[in-house]
Amino acid sequence: MLLFVLAYLGGVLTIVSPCILPVLPFVFARAGQPFLRSGLPMLLGMAVSFALVASLAAVAGGWAVAANQYGRLAALVLLALFGLALLIPSLSERATAPLVALGGRLSQSSEGGGILGSALLGVATGLLWAPCAGPVLGLILTGAALNGANVGTSLLLLAYAAGAATSLALALAIGGRVFAAMKRSLGVGEWARRGLGALVLVAVGAIALGLDTGFLTRVSLAGTNALEQGLIDRLNPPPAGGPAMMSGNPAMTGDAPAMMSANPAMTGGAPAMTGGNPAMMAGNNTAMMSANPAMMAKPGATPGAAGAPAALPVEGMLPSLSGATGWLNSAPLTAEALKGKVVLIDFWTYSCINCLRAIPYVRAWAEKYKDQGLVVIGVHSPEFAFERDVDNVRKAVADLKIDYPVAIDNDYAIWRAFKNQYWPAHYFIDAGGRIRHHHFGEGGYDRSEQVIQQLLAEAGHKNVASGIVDVKATGAEAASDMKDVMSPETYIGFERAENFVSPGGAAQGEPKDYAAGDPRLNEWGLVGKWTIGAEQASLDAADGAIVYRFHARDLHLVLGPGAQGKPVRFRVTLDGKPPGDAHGMDVDAQGEGVVTGQRLYQLIRQPGEIGERTFEIRFLDPGVEAYAFTFG
């Protein structure tokens, strides 16, 4: 019930967000009409259509987003005709074209309090509405993406939309009184009608140009996110020492497996919603936190306290592992068969930079304690679609020299069984099958190893190895330089894209020629002909580029060679020059490299003093797919 209250109140708060501005003209066009026959059907149509389309997009992926684009076009045409009919009443009388006549009939129907016409306009408004991606909507949509289609998700989205409709109804009531007073005292009803028609046309133009999900979304972040976060903290306080999830602050790194935009109609440039598996997970309380992005899990890390704990509490029992869709390096393992063993569960995904930096420690523990009763199990829960390909995971396991068992968790069944929220996440299970400790994110390695030693001693193992492993990680696995990481993980697909500055914004799912724009710190742009999909941008012609203004020692980019699998050559520059000794492990000093597989590529590792730099990667061949930037 608490989630429904949060969803409803989060929707109510949208009235103070600039993202509501584009739909206000459609709402105020109902001013002066009977509320029950005009305003209410319009708001109900808006709420229901938004909830339906957002539910489909959250669980169905790209096809629902593409389908909604056609709905948006139809809605824009419908509302433009409605605005013209308000602005030029004689237009519908003179028109012979069926669509214009439809606009005139809708206008007349809504003016007369017609329920059907108002509801139809409400449905069109719901197809266009793109509320800002705040924490409350992030909780709902992340749970939808992880848990799949269910009635609860749709009802939560409906509660959110109902909250927005409530605040709009209040605005409509106030606007209706003002409208009626103007008609009575000034006799300017016809001019008011034309003014509303002009505002409707302006709103249609703003939505068509993407202003509702670009500029308005960006300027809204400071206001509604703080209000929503305060609401979450008040109604759902975090448990002491419990897990946390990231807010949508662009200075932070992190995400959940399939985070959706607030509305599938959102275009590139809309802020990403970041966060892990939220309160949608049964019985799982969440909170929001900020932390240094270099130490983040995906979405957040909770650094452990120094020193081994005097006592380890029981946090639950080891859930079933039967949801794995496959196993690498081992026959399928079961919770029952692991009784008597100390078990470390490591949730990871192979393109996650935070996971890659934790793996050397997990690998070292597996080797050091394998003969003393420790079983390490890597649970690979994918973030991007290409990480569901078992062959890709198998190659990554070989490249990373992982020889302990790896469960393929493509359906997130084990993720959900643990009520997990993070990449990487480590769970420590004693010989009795009880979860005794957990750690989310990077860091805390000394404490984690001490926990392993304590659990092995509790299990009766003699002469447990002491001391702490000395890990000398290299390449992308090397620890981040925390003090210099001032750039966030940045997604390129439109579902989670943020800080995109190419002029004209992003076109979803269709080819477009882009220019870089003028990126400031943590902003980026595309150059050349690209098609921006839900998860990635695909280069349609050779000599395309991505430009990013960043501040960090390391820059990584998740790339793939495209559907045909052909290698793609690229050239990297820093401030317009070859990187020289600042090159990463996947490029040479001249900045040249080749995309041969779907993985994370380390492109920059700077020596010496770190400052703001402009990075460009130019692809000499078409077909590359770019997913996300990460920094270290």
Side-chain angles (χ1 to χ4, degrees):
M1 185 62 190
L2 181 60
L3 277 177
F4 287 96
V5 174
L6 277 172
Y8 178 80
L9 294 178
V12 170
L13 290 176
T14 59
I15 195 66
V16 300
S17 164
C19 292
I20 204 70
L21 292 178
V23 303
L24 286 179
F26 310 134
V27 175
F28 283 124
R30 313 268 67 70
Q33 305 301 323
F35 178 74
L36 292 179
R37 292 181 57 82
S38 181
L40 182 60
M42 189 267 186
L43 293 173
L44 288 177
M46 172 183 167
V48 171
S49 63
F50 166 77
L52 177 62
V53 173
S55 297
L56 286 173
V59 301
W63 71 265
V65 176
N68 186 58
Q69 289 299 97
Y70 295 104
R72 277 174 60 83
L73 290 174
L76 284 170
V77 171
L78 176 64
L79 291 169
L81 291 172
F82 169 65
L84 284 172
L86 286 173
L87 183 64
I88 311 173
S90 60
L91 181 63
S92 60
E93 299 173 4
R94 297 195 306 266
T96 57
L99 288 178
V100 177
L102 173 63
R105 287 196 296 272
L106 286 172
S107 174
Q108 293 163 8
S109 173
S110 60
E111 288 173 12
I115 294 176
L116 180 60
S118 296
L120 183 56
L121 291 172
V123 169
T125 305
L127 290 173
L128 299 179
W129 182 42
C132 294
V136 170
L137 199 55
L139 291 177
I140 299 170
L141 289 173
T142 303
L146 288 173
N147 291 326
N150 60 74
V151 174
T153 293
S154 296
L155 291 178
L156 283 168
L157 286 165
L158 186 59
Y160 183 92
T166 300
S167 55
L168 287 172
L170 179 61
L172 180 57
I174 297 173
R177 292 174 183 174
V178 173
F179 189 87
M182 290 174 62
K183 290 177 70 174
R184 287 195 306 269
S185 61
L186 300 178
V188 293
E190 184 63 27
W191 285 106
R193 167 193 165 111
R194 292 182 178 181
L196 287 172
L199 286 175
V200 167
L201 292 176
V202 169
V204 168
I207 292 171
L209 293 174
L211 297 181
D212 60 323
T213 55
F215 172 73
L216 292 179
T217 305
R218 288 193 290 273
V219 300
S220 73
L221 282 177
T224 55
N225 274 11
L227 288 170
E228 290 186 33
Q229 188 51 60
L231 182 64
I232 291 173
D233 292 341
R234 181 174 295 273
L235 294 181
N236 192 28
M245 63 174 279
M246 292 295 301
S247 70
N249 188 327
M252 301 297 119
T253 59
D255 81 306
M259 214 51 192
M260 297 296 297
S261 299
N263 186 305
M266 293 184 75
T267 60
M273 297 187 300
T274 54
N277 182 358
M280 287 293 295
M281 296 301 179
N284 191 26
N285 291 322
T286 56
M288 310 294 277
M289 69 175 285
S290 295
N292 189 310
M295 288 297 295
M296 286 299 95
K298 297 166 71 67
T302 305
L312 296 173
V314 176
E315 301 178 356
M317 298 300 295
L318 172 62
S320 171
L321 304 177
S322 61
T325 57
W327 287 82
L328 302 178
N329 297 338
S330 170
L333 299 176
T334 66
E336 187 62 31
L338 290 168
K339 289 286 183 67
K341 300 286 188 180
V342 173
V343 180
L344 167 58
I345 300 289
D346 172 26
F347 283 94
W348 70 295
T349 187
Y350 82 82
S351 74
C352 162
I353 185 60
N354 310 98
C355 301
L356 294 178
R357 292 196 287 245
I359 280 176
Y361 293 89
V362 178
R363 203 167 49 214
W365 297 332
E367 177 64 26
K368 181 176 179 180
Y369 298 103
K370 66 180 180 181
D371 296 328
Q372 300 181 51
L374 176 67
V375 176
V376 174
I377 301 174
V379 178
H380 188 274
S381 302
E383 178 176 15
F384 297 113
F386 67 78
E387 291 174 309
R388 295 174 179 271
D389 187 326
V390 177
D391 288 336
N392 284 346
V393 181
R394 184 177 290 108
K395 184 178 187 305
V397 165
D399 292 343
L400 294 168
K401 297 179 173 58
I402 293 173
D403 56 11
Y404 49 80
V406 174
I408 304 299
D409 190 30
N410 279 352
D411 295 334
Y412 303 105
I414 303 176
W415 177 288
R416 288 195 294 267
F418 272 83
K419 300 183 176 69
N420 184 50
Q421 302 181 34
Y422 308 97
W423 289 293
H426 298 151
Y427 293 87
F428 300 80
I429 294 95
D430 66 17
R434 300 169 299 180
I435 301 174
R436 301 287 299 281
H437 183 67
H438 66 266
H439 183 85
F440 302 132
E442 299 177 52
Y445 301 118
D446 290 359
R447 183 186 180 190
S448 292
E449 185 167 1
Q450 290 164 355
V451 168
I452 293 172
Q453 294 169 356
Q454 182 173 342
L455 293 180
L456 289 172
E458 285 183 8
H461 293 281
K462 305 298 183 182
N463 302 318
V464 175
S466 59
I468 302 298
V469 295
D470 183 18
V471 172
K472 303 293 186 183
T474 59
E477 296 181 3
S480 173
D481 185 1
M482 294 184 298
K483 69 180 186 302
D484 281 321
V485 178
M486 297 183 185
S487 292
E489 183 170 26
T490 301
Y491 292 88
I492 295 175
F494 63 74
E495 281 183 354
R496 288 180 280 179
E498 62 180 349
N499 301 330
F500 181 64
V501 297
S502 287
Q508 293 184 11
E510 59 185 43
K512 179 179 176 179
D513 286 314
Y514 293 94
D518 186 20
R520 297 171 296 177
L521 180 62
N522 299 332
E523 295 180 338
W524 63 284
L526 297 174
V527 178
K529 190 173 184 179
W530 294 80
T531 297
I532 301 179
E535 285 190 343
Q536 81 287 337
S538 302
L539 182 60
D540 299 309
D543 200 35
I546 309 175
V547 179
Y548 196 115
R549 182 77 173 170
F550 77 105
H551 188 296
R553 183 194 67 191
D554 302 340
L555 180 147
H556 315 93
L557 184 56
V558 179
L559 297 167
Q564 303 302 319
K566 296 180 179 179
V568 177
R569 299 167 298 155
F570 64 83
R571 183 176 298 117
V572 163
T573 60
L574 271 181
D575 297 329
K577 300 177 181 179
D581 59 359
H583 71 90
M585 62 180 295
D586 290 304
V587 299
D588 61 21
Q590 296 303 311
E592 296 183 352
V594 181
V595 177
T596 56
Q598 295 167 314
R599 63 177 176 87
L600 180 143
Y601 288 77
Q602 186 187 74
L603 303 176
I604 297 295
R605 167 156 287 177
Q606 301 182 74
E609 185 176 352
I610 306 303
E612 287 188 24
R613 309 291 295 273
T614 297
F615 165 87
E616 180 184 282
I617 180 168
R618 184 165 294 273
F619 300 97
L620 309 183
D621 305 302
V624 74
E625 294 181 342
Y627 291 82
F629 285 94
T630 58
F631 301 90

